[in-house]
Amino acid sequence: MSVRVSLVAAARSSSLLGERFEDDRPLDEAGWHEVRFAAPALIALGAAELRYCSPTPRSRATGDALGFAPLVQPALRDCDMGRWRGFTLADVTAREPAAVDAWLADPRSAPHGGEPLLAFISRIGGWLDTRPACDGAIVAVAEPAVVRAALVYALNAPPSSYWNVDVPPLSTVTLTGLPRRWSLRLGTVVH
């Protein structure tokens, strides 16, 4: 028996340029508007037997607004960015350009004092691999970084490919399979 996990990227809490590492801000007005607009296309995912979300306010709010009533999964938390938490990439690059270069080049590095990219991908993959086999479906609303990590893990892609995956708000992707043997089914992006 295989597992089917649909991942929904949380709605926005800021403009793309305003995105912060481990952003704990709630949905902004644009995010609420996007959820209302996307709801008709995504509401059917709420029929899943198991419904989860990342512990961030915007993931919980997105799941609740879609009627999923998701269970918070601590394992689906965003990458621990250590002392970079709350800053934008531009902020950190201006202050620590060599550290940012090292972090982008080596998935085992953690110049921020938090979680290395490779450990983050492995943690998300571990969550995927421990989903119970069921006849029905699983849905999880998560931060775009979590969705990226899940895709890299499921496709057994090199960690560097993480930086080449764009996950817009409210985009969906479905993974089917068994632990360490996943297939990808693309969904639609709703704007």
Side-chain angles (χ1 to χ4, degrees), residues 10 13 15-16 22-23 27 33 49 52 68 70 81 87 90 105 107 124 135-136 183:
S13 61
S15 70
L16 186 58
E22 290 187 87
D23 198 348
L27 293 181
H33 175 74
E49 280 74 24
Y52 302 115
F68 294 175
M81 296 305 293
F87 293 100
I124 300 305
D135 289 331
S183 297

Side-chain angles (χ1 to χ4, degrees), residues 94-164:
R95 289 189 353 223
E96 301 180 51
V100 170
D101 288 345
W103 175 64
L104 293 173
D106 181 3
R108 290 178 180 81
S109 72
H112 45 65
E115 186 175 27
L117 179 63
L118 192 57
F120 174 54
I121 292 168
S122 295
R123 173 169 52 84
I124 300 305
W127 180 85
L128 274 173
D129 285 345
T130 57
R131 293 308 86 209
C134 61
D135 289 331
I138 297 171
V139 66
V141 178
E143 295 301 310
V146 171
V147 176
R148 269 195 303 276
L151 290 172
V152 169
Y153 180 83
L155 296 174
N156 199 26
S160 61
S161 64
Y162 175 89
W163 306 114
N164 302 103

Side-chain angles (χ1 to χ4, degrees), residues 17 22 26 29 40 42 53 56 60 68 71 73 79 87 96 140 171:
L17 294 176
E22 290 187 87
E29 187 175 325
L42 299 176
C53 69
T56 61
R60 289 192 310 262
F68 294 175
L71 176 65
Q73 286 284 286
C79 187
F87 293 100
E96 301 180 51
S171 58

Side-chain angles (χ1 to χ4, degrees), residues 26-113:
L27 293 181
D28 64 8
E29 187 175 325
W32 283 111
H33 175 74
E34 289 173 348
V35 171
R36 284 190 296 275
F37 185 75
L42 299 176
I43 201 98
L45 293 174
E49 280 74 24
L50 299 172
R51 297 172 305 279
Y52 302 115
C53 69
S54 294
T56 61
R58 73 180 184 169
S59 292
R60 289 192 310 262
T62 300
D64 287 341
L66 291 172
F68 294 175
L71 176 65
V72 173
Q73 286 284 286
L76 290 177
R77 70 189 178 283
D78 209 342
C79 187
D80 176 359
M81 296 305 293
R83 71 177 178 278
W84 293 355
R85 184 179 196 274
F87 293 100
T88 66
L89 180 59
D91 294 338
V92 176
T93 300
R95 289 189 353 223
E96 301 180 51
V100 170
D101 288 345
W103 175 64
L104 293 173
D106 181 3
R108 290 178 180 81
S109 72
H112 45 65

Side-chain angles (χ1 to χ4, degrees), residues 160-180:
S160 61
S161 64
Y162 175 89
W163 306 114
N164 302 103
V165 179
D166 184 25
V167 180
L170 297 167
S171 58
T172 65
V173 65
T174 300
L175 302 172
T176 58
L178 300 167
R180 301 190 200 317

